[in-house]
Amino acid sequence: MSSPRDRDRDGFDDAAGSGWQEPAHLGEGDAAPADRPADRPAEPTGSGWQPPGWDLPTVEPARPESVPPAVPPAVPPAVPDADRPPAAPGPDAAWDPPAADQRQSDVPPGAEPEGRRRGWGGLFSPRPQEPPADPGGPASPVPVVDPGDPYGLQAWAAQLGWTSSEGTGPEDAALAELVRTAPVRPGKEDRPGHVLRGRGNGLDLVACDVLSPVGRGFVATHAITAAPLLGDVPGFRLSPARIWRHRIGGLLQIPGPDPEFDRRWVLLAAEDGPQVRALVEDPVVRQSLLGSDDGDELWAAAGFVAAVRPDAHRPLLVEHHARLLAAVVAALARGR
């Protein structure tokens, strides 16, 4: 005996089978609401069934919420001119100087003439060159520098009537001995050169350079100015205290009455006597040496009293040495 349940299990009823459709998870469409269990939620239409949490999260970046545009501040109502407070006082144009009175330098920064800049080589460096003439003005003559006389020493000596020689003649034999005894420790091959002879400050003077061999030529390393001595004068050396002294064995240090002079200058002599003491006691000698830059050394040898400086000769240096030698010779003469 069959029942309606068996019929449904064994086969399909034509009437019932005509209304059958594919389940929602196997195809498109949705199951009939009557066929869906009550505890199963409804699946979305148009897509296959997926387990909960299967879908990936969206990849769109989180955007901040739009900020409402700022409301412009309310414009206060216009205040009548009668009720408006007076404005703060500003700079008075009458206190500003006229444009013509605002004086400025005609030379821009960093464009000073080369001759007027600071930093020349020393006390007896070449004199500064005059600034170039205005391009719009008359052209000034350009001085011509002689390569053989870069400091103008020969031209200066010729104007004074001095004579010149190369230092190799018979009259220059005494200069070779003077160079050999110089306190600057000359080399064995050093010799005098660029010799000038003339009168200055009441003395017969001879000026020369100490030439040292360099390669195939010679270069001037020191400048010597000497004056011949009358009579016998003990050998001495008058040197700045800051300069290293060599070959002073057997010499005596002669102190003076001026502590400032003894602090800056040292007098060494072969023997103590009135002549060498007159050098440190004479006020003119002390003033002349204290007023210098302590760059010269003086000594007596080979019948001369001489001054030497580590530099090539130039007119200003010859004049400086002449003043020192005039003071020293006068002090030695008074000490006899």
Side-chain angles (χ1 to χ4, degrees):
M1 180 175 160
S2 62
S3 61
R5 187 184 299 271
D6 295 335
R7 186 181 57 186
D8 295 339
R9 181 181 60 199
D10 296 338
F12 295 94
D13 188 19
D14 293 338
S18 60
W20 182 89
Q21 61 182 358
E22 190 76 9
H25 68 281
L26 297 178
E28 298 180 357
D30 192 9
D35 296 337
R36 185 176 68 240
D39 59 347
R40 180 178 176 182
E43 293 95 9
T45 59
S47 61
W49 175 83
Q50 296 178 355
W54 184 265
D55 293 335
L56 298 175
T58 58
V59 297
E60 296 180 359
R63 294 183 175 87
E65 296 181 359
S66 60
V67 181
V71 179
V75 180
V79 180
D81 295 340
D83 300 336
R84 184 176 302 169
D92 190 0
W95 289 99
D96 295 337
D101 294 340
Q102 297 179 359
R103 304 181 185 276
Q104 299 180 357
S105 175
D106 297 335
V107 182
E112 296 86 355
E114 186 68 22
R116 295 185 180 180
R117 296 183 185 176
R118 305 179 68 179
W120 291 89
L123 180 62
F124 305 103
S125 299
R127 294 181 179 177
Q129 300 291 335
E130 292 296 330
D134 186 6
S140 59
V142 179
V144 179
V145 179
D146 185 3
D149 187 20
Y151 303 117
L153 183 63
Q154 300 291 336
W156 171 82
Q159 293 178 356
L160 298 179
W162 288 30
T163 60
S164 61
S165 64
E166 294 298 328
T168 57
E171 68 279 6
D172 300 326
L175 295 179
E177 178 65 16
L178 186 64
V179 170
R180 190 185 63 82
T181 60
V184 296
R185 200 174 183 179
K188 295 181 179 180
E189 298 182 1
D190 291 357
R191 64 174 182 85
H194 308 156
V195 181
L196 299 175
R197 286 181 171 84
R199 286 191 61 84
N201 286 49
L203 299 175
D204 291 331
L205 298 176
V206 54
C208 66
D209 289 336
V210 178
L211 302 182
S212 298
V214 175
R216 297 183 178 180
F218 289 84
V219 62
T221 58
H222 295 80
I224 294 178
T225 307
L229 290 174
L230 300 177
D232 295 335
V233 175
F236 69 88
R237 285 178 57 176
L238 189 56
S239 306
R242 66 178 181 86
I243 295 180
W244 172 258
R245 291 169 297 278
H246 57 88
R247 295 189 302 184
I248 59 175
L251 298 180
L252 303 175
Q253 183 172 355
I254 309 299
D258 188 355
E260 176 65 17
F261 183 82
D262 292 342
R263 187 182 64 84
R264 290 178 51 183
W265 288 84
V266 177
L267 175 61
L268 302 173
E271 59 183 20
D272 194 357
Q275 282 186 306
V276 293
R277 284 197 173 271
L279 293 177
V280 293
E281 294 175 357
D282 188 82
V284 179
V285 174
R286 294 200 307 267
Q287 292 175 6
S288 300
L289 294 178
L290 291 177
S292 66
D293 61 347
D294 299 358
D296 306 279
E297 291 189 79
L298 297 97
W299 82 105
F304 293 92
V305 58
V308 62
R309 190 182 186 95
D311 199 355
H313 250 316
R314 55 202 68 191
L316 287 178
L317 183 53
V318 176
E319 295 174 356
H320 168 69
H321 280 175
R323 288 190 294 268
L324 295 181
L325 294 176
V328 170
V329 171
L332 293 174
R334 284 192 293 268
R336 291 180 181 174

